Amino acid sequence: MANVNAALLTGNEAIAAGAYKAGVHVATGYPGTPSSEILPYLARFNNAIVNWSINEKTALEIAIGASIGYKRSMFTTKHVGLNVASDPLMTLAITGVRGGIAVITADDPAMHSSQNEQDNRFYSKFAKVPMFEPSDSNECFEFTCEAFEISERFDTPVIIRTTTRISHSKSIVRTPPAYLPNMNSNLENENNSYPKPKEKTYIKDIEKFVMAPVYARKRHKIAIERLKKLQEFSNNSGINNIEYNSLDFGIITSGISYQYVKEIAPFASVLKLSFSYPIPDLLIKEFVKKVKSVIIVEELEPFIQDEISSIGINLRGKEIFNRFGELTPDMVKEGLINAGFIKKYDNKSSDKLQGKGGSSKLDSLLEKLPQRLPALCSGCPHTSVFYALKKLKVPVMGDIGCYTLGALPPLNAMDSCISMGLAFGAAQGLSLSNSSPKKIAGIMGDSTFFHSGITSLIDAKYNNACFTAIILDNSTTAMTGGQDHPGTGKNLSSGQVVSNKIDIKRVVEGIGIDEIYIIDPYNYNAVYKTLKKALSSKNLNVIITKRPCILYPCKIDLGKKFKILEGCNGCDLCMQIGCPSILNSENFLDNNKPIPFIDSSCIGCSICKDICIFNFIEEIKS
C-alpha cells in the first residue's frame, strides 16, 4: 500500500481518512451500526484524540467544546443516536462554530440492525445546517475534508449523511498513502502529512455561545441568513453536478441511489445531489427545463421530492418507489419501467441480475437458505436470565442490545424494546399503571446502563419506584462489535490502557439502592432463585450479572463440551433456551419426538445441564 495513490476502503474508513487529512483534533461518538468503524479506524492514525463517549449527546457536547477552542472536531453516530444528540445539535446550529464540526450520521434503511427506520436528512432541514450525501467511499473521503472547510467558512456544523450500503461497502479512494494509517505500528504517523491545527488563544464570546434569549434571537436570524449563502454555494460550487445524456429522460438522485441509477439507466441524464441541503434550486430548474421527463429516485422519505416541490416544481418520485426499506437495482429498474423510462428486460446491464422466470438470482438463493430466527450466541451469559424470566412469567421492559433477542422464540422473555436506556423508565411507568399483578422487571446491558440507564435508575430511586432492575454486565458493547465503555476502563486513543474503570455496583450504591445482587449467569439455579427473591421484594432492587461476552474482546472457550445422553426423552426443555449449539437430529424417539444433540460449537457454559431436570446432559470427559 505504501506506493499507491489509491486504496480500497469502506465508506466508514474513508470518512476517518478524510477527517485525518482535514486535521481533526477531537473525534467522539457512541458505537452504533452502521457507523461503528469510523472512530476505530481514525484511532489508528494516532494523531487525533479519538474516544467513545458515554452517549451521543455527550459525544457531541465534547466536539462542541473542542470547536469553541478553535479545534476541528467530528461526532459520529447511527441514525437513532442523532435523536439523542439532537438537543445540543439544534442549538449548535444557531451558535455556529469556531473550529469546524462534522456530524456523521449513518442511516440504516431496512433496519438491518436498528429499532426503527428514519431518514436523517430531515435533521439537516430541521436544524438549518448543510448536508453532504456521498455515493461511494471516495466521496466519503473528499466530502469529509470539504465539510470542515465549509463548516468554518459558513460558521455552521455540517452533516454528512451515509447509509448502510455506503458505510460498509468498499470502493476505490484516490488518496496518497500519506492519508492512510500505518496498520503495523502504534507510533504516530510518520508521514507528517497531518495538518497541525493552528494554536489560538481562547476568547470569551457570550453573544455567540451563551444562548440566553437575548442572544439566541440574534443568532437564529443569522442562521436563516446563512441558509441563503449556502444555497448559492449549493448551486455554484460544482459539488452538485449534472450529467447530460438523453434529453428525453432525466433523474434527480443522491447517495447510494445514484449508483443504482447509473447501473440501470446509463442512458438517462442525471442531476446528482451530493450537497443535498439546501437544494440547488437554480440547478434543478435548469435541469428540468432542458430534460423532457424527470423523476426522482431516493431511498426512504420523499426528502428531495418535497424540497423540489417547495420551489414550485412537481416531479414524480414516491409515486413510483417505496417509502420504506432499501432500494435495490431491481427495484430501481422496476420503478423506471413503471415510469416508462425503460421497457421490461430491454436493459442489458440490469438483465444480468435476472434469472429464469424473472426472479433474481439473489432471491433464488435466499429461498434455499434455512429459515431461522436470530438467536443469542452459544454460551451467551444472557441466556439463563431470559430463561428464568420466562419461567417466572413477569413483565419485562427491555432495551437495545444483543439481549433484545431475548424477546424472540423460544425465550419470549422481553415485552418491550423501544429506545436505548428506556427499560428502567418504562418499568417504572408500567409499575405506576398498576396493570400488572406481578412485579415488573427492567433489563439492559452494561453499556446501555452507562449510556442513559443511569438517569432513569436515579429517577426511580428518587420517586420511590418499585421494580427489579437487571443489568447484564458482559464488559463490552457487544452488539456493535465489542467497543469499550466506562465499565471496561479502556478507550480508543488511550492505547487500550486500563484506567478509571467505573464499577457498576458502586454506582448503584451511590444512587442509594441497598438491595443489590451480584450473580454468575452461568449458574442457572442461582439466577432463578435470585430473580425469584428480588421479584418478591417490595423494594426497588438491582441484579447485576457478571460474565464477559463470549466474543469480545476475544472468543471464549471454557474448554468443556457437553453431550446429551442416550435415553433422552425428548422433553424439549434444552431446546427452550435457544442455544444454537443444541440441534434436533434426524433420529426420532418412539413417540415421534426428535432426539436433540449438542454440536461442536458448544463452549461449555453448562446452562443446558442445569436446565435438564432429567439429568440427560453431562460433560464429556476427555
Side-chain angles (χ1 to χ4, degrees), residues 291-456:
V291 181
K292 185 177 178 182
S293 178
V294 178
I295 63 170
I296 299 163
V297 180
E298 60 182 323
E299 229 169 33
L300 297 180
E301 299 294 330
F303 179 80
I304 296 174
Q305 189 172 2
D306 288 351
E307 286 301 291
I308 292 177
S309 176
S310 72
I311 59 174
I313 300 173
N314 293 314
L315 299 174
R316 291 183 298 165
K318 288 302 162 187
E319 295 85 350
I320 306 167
F321 298 98
N322 285 345
R323 195 170 176 169
F324 57 89
E326 284 189 297
L327 289 180
T328 65
D330 279 346
M331 294 165 70
V332 171
K333 180 180 180 182
E334 193 66 31
L336 294 180
I337 290 171
N338 293 335
F341 274 35
I342 55 177
K343 294 179 182 178
K344 201 168 186 180
Y345 308 129
D346 73 347
N347 185 276
K348 293 181 180 179
S349 62
S350 58
D351 281 347
K352 293 177 182 176
L353 300 170
Q354 301 293 324
K356 292 181 179 179
S359 61
S360 71
K361 291 181 179 178
L362 177 61
D363 289 342
S364 177
L365 289 171
L366 290 174
E367 288 174 1
K368 295 177 182 177
L369 292 174
Q371 298 296 313
R372 58 187 177 195
L373 291 169
L376 295 170
C377 300
S378 298
C380 175
H382 305 334
T383 301
S384 62
V385 179
F386 283 114
Y387 185 73
L389 287 168
K390 178 182 179 180
K391 299 290 286 184
L392 291 164
K393 298 179 180 177
V394 294
V396 179
M397 297 293 100
D399 222 290
I400 309 295
C402 296
Y403 41 88
T404 306
L405 299 172
L408 301 178
L411 292 167
N412 295 316
M414 216 168 80
D415 299 46
S416 72
C417 172
I418 297 174
S419 63
M420 185 163 278
L422 172 136
F424 296 164
Q428 181 181 345
L430 182 57
S431 65
L432 290 172
S433 74
N434 294 319
S435 60
S436 170
K438 292 192 172 183
K439 190 176 180 183
I440 314 297
I443 193 165
M444 64 176 63
D446 45 343
S447 184
T448 309
F449 176 71
F450 286 115
H451 178 278
S452 49
I454 290 175
T455 51
S456 53

Side-chain angles (χ1 to χ4, degrees), residues 516-587:
I516 304 171
Y517 305 91
I518 309 291
I519 54 175
D520 177 0
Y522 279 176
N523 185 340
Y524 171 73
N525 293 321
V527 169
Y528 182 83
K529 289 177 182 177
T530 305
L531 277 170
K532 189 174 182 180
K533 180 180 179 182
L535 288 164
S536 302
S537 164
K538 301 299 183 184
N539 301 319
L540 170 67
N541 45 30
V542 174
I543 296 174
I544 303 170
T545 69
K546 294 187 75 68
R547 270 279 179 181
C549 172
I550 64 156
L551 293 180
Y552 305 107
C554 58
K555 188 171 183 179
I556 291 173
D557 190 332
L558 298 173
K560 296 189 289 184
K561 301 290 180 186
F562 287 82
K563 65 179 180 181
I564 297 176
L565 301 174
E566 289 186 15
C568 165
N569 59 12
C571 72
D572 209 33
L573 274 178
C574 59
M575 301 297 291
Q576 293 305 306
I577 62 175
C579 177
S581 296
I582 306 176
L583 307 168
N584 278 325
S585 70
E586 295 179 351
N587 299 317

Side-chain angles (χ1 to χ4, degrees), residues 121-138:
R121 293 180 296 178
F122 288 96
Y123 265 114
S124 184
K125 183 175 183 179
F126 190 23
K128 303 183 185 70
V129 299
M131 173 176 61
F132 279 104
E133 280 193 85
S135 294
D136 57 28
S137 296
N138 193 62

Side-chain angles (χ1 to χ4, degrees), residues 29-31 52-59 84 399-400 403 420-424 443-458 470-478 483-491 499-509 511 544-546:
Y30 185 82
W52 293 121
S53 296
I54 196 167
N55 62 33
E56 296 85 353
K57 178 175 179 290
T58 302
V84 181
D399 222 290
I400 309 295
Y403 41 88
M420 185 163 278
L422 172 136
F424 296 164
I443 193 165
M444 64 176 63
D446 45 343
S447 184
T448 309
F449 176 71
F450 286 115
H451 178 278
S452 49
I454 290 175
T455 51
S456 53
L457 191 60
I458 292 172
I470 304 168
I471 303 170
L472 304 172
D473 182 1
N474 63 0
S475 302
T476 191
T477 311
Q483 291 81 15
D484 289 300
H485 59 65
T488 70
K490 303 175 185 176
N491 215 326
S499 62
N500 300 325
K501 181 176 178 178
I502 309 300
D503 184 87
I504 293 176
K505 181 174 181 288
R506 292 183 66 183
V507 171
V508 174
E509 288 172 339
I511 292 171
I544 303 170
T545 69
K546 294 187 75 68

Side-chain angles (χ1 to χ4, degrees), residues 159-428:
I159 290 177
I160 299 175
R161 184 253 188 181
T162 63
T163 55
T164 304
R165 297 293 157 186
I166 299 296
S167 299
H168 288 166
S169 60
K170 288 191 173 186
S171 60
I172 294 295
V173 174
R174 293 178 290 279
T175 177
Y179 301 119
L180 297 173
N182 183 351
M183 307 295 281
N184 300 317
S185 172
N186 288 324
L187 298 176
E188 184 170 325
N189 198 315
E190 297 174 353
N191 54 54
N192 295 321
S193 299
Y194 187 73
K196 300 296 182 185
K198 295 179 181 177
E199 296 298 329
K200 292 185 178 180
T201 302
Y202 173 75
I203 298 174
K204 187 175 182 176
D205 186 350
I206 62 171
E207 291 199 17
K208 181 171 173 61
F209 291 115
V210 178
M211 287 302 96
V214 62
Y215 302 133
R217 294 184 189 112
K218 292 179 182 178
R219 293 299 309 181
H220 194 192
K221 290 179 181 177
I222 292 172
I224 292 171
E225 288 299 316
R226 183 181 66 207
L227 273 182
K228 297 176 183 176
K229 298 175 184 174
L230 286 165
Q231 188 153 51
E232 183 180 350
F233 177 83
S234 185
N235 276 309
N236 302 317
S237 67
I239 296 175
N240 294 313
N241 67 297
I242 297 174
E243 302 168 13
Y244 281 118
N245 289 299
S246 168
L247 295 182
D248 290 329
F249 305 111
I251 298 170
I252 300 176
T253 187
S254 67
I256 190 62
S257 302
Y258 168 78
Q259 303 291 356
Y260 302 153
V261 164
K262 294 298 290 182
E263 182 175 349
I264 301 301
F267 55 85
S269 295
V270 176
L271 170 51
K272 179 176 181 294
L273 300 182
S274 300
F275 192 79
S276 49
Y277 188 82
I279 58 166
D281 54 342
L282 299 180
L283 212 55
I284 290 167
K285 288 175 182 176
E286 174 193 328
F287 186 70
V288 172
K289 187 177 180 180
K290 286 188 177 179
V291 181
K292 185 177 178 182
S293 178
V294 178
I295 63 170
I296 299 163
V297 180
E298 60 182 323
E299 229 169 33
L300 297 180
E301 299 294 330
F303 179 80
I304 296 174
Q305 189 172 2
D306 288 351
E307 286 301 291
I308 292 177
S309 176
S310 72
I311 59 174
I313 300 173
N314 293 314
L315 299 174
R316 291 183 298 165
K318 288 302 162 187
E319 295 85 350
I320 306 167
F321 298 98
N322 285 345
R323 195 170 176 169
F324 57 89
E326 284 189 297
L327 289 180
T328 65
D330 279 346
M331 294 165 70
V332 171
K333 180 180 180 182
E334 193 66 31
L336 294 180
I337 290 171
N338 293 335
F341 274 35
I342 55 177
K343 294 179 182 178
K344 201 168 186 180
Y345 308 129
D346 73 347
N347 185 276
K348 293 181 180 179
S349 62
S350 58
D351 281 347
K352 293 177 182 176
L353 300 170
Q354 301 293 324
K356 292 181 179 179
S359 61
S360 71
K361 291 181 179 178
L362 177 61
D363 289 342
S364 177
L365 289 171
L366 290 174
E367 288 174 1
K368 295 177 182 177
L369 292 174
Q371 298 296 313
R372 58 187 177 195
L373 291 169
L376 295 170
C377 300
S378 298
C380 175
H382 305 334
T383 301
S384 62
V385 179
F386 283 114
Y387 185 73
L389 287 168
K390 178 182 179 180
K391 299 290 286 184
L392 291 164
K393 298 179 180 177
V394 294
V396 179
M397 297 293 100
D399 222 290
I400 309 295
C402 296
Y403 41 88
T404 306
L405 299 172
L408 301 178
L411 292 167
N412 295 316
M414 216 168 80
D415 299 46
S416 72
C417 172
I418 297 174
S419 63
M420 185 163 278
L422 172 136
F424 296 164
Q428 181 181 345

Side-chain angles (χ1 to χ4, degrees), residues 34 79 105-109 118-121 161-164 300:
H79 62 293
T105 171
D107 287 9
D108 187 17
Q118 66 183 49
D119 192 330
N120 277 8
R121 293 180 296 178
R161 184 253 188 181
T162 63
T163 55
T164 304
L300 297 180

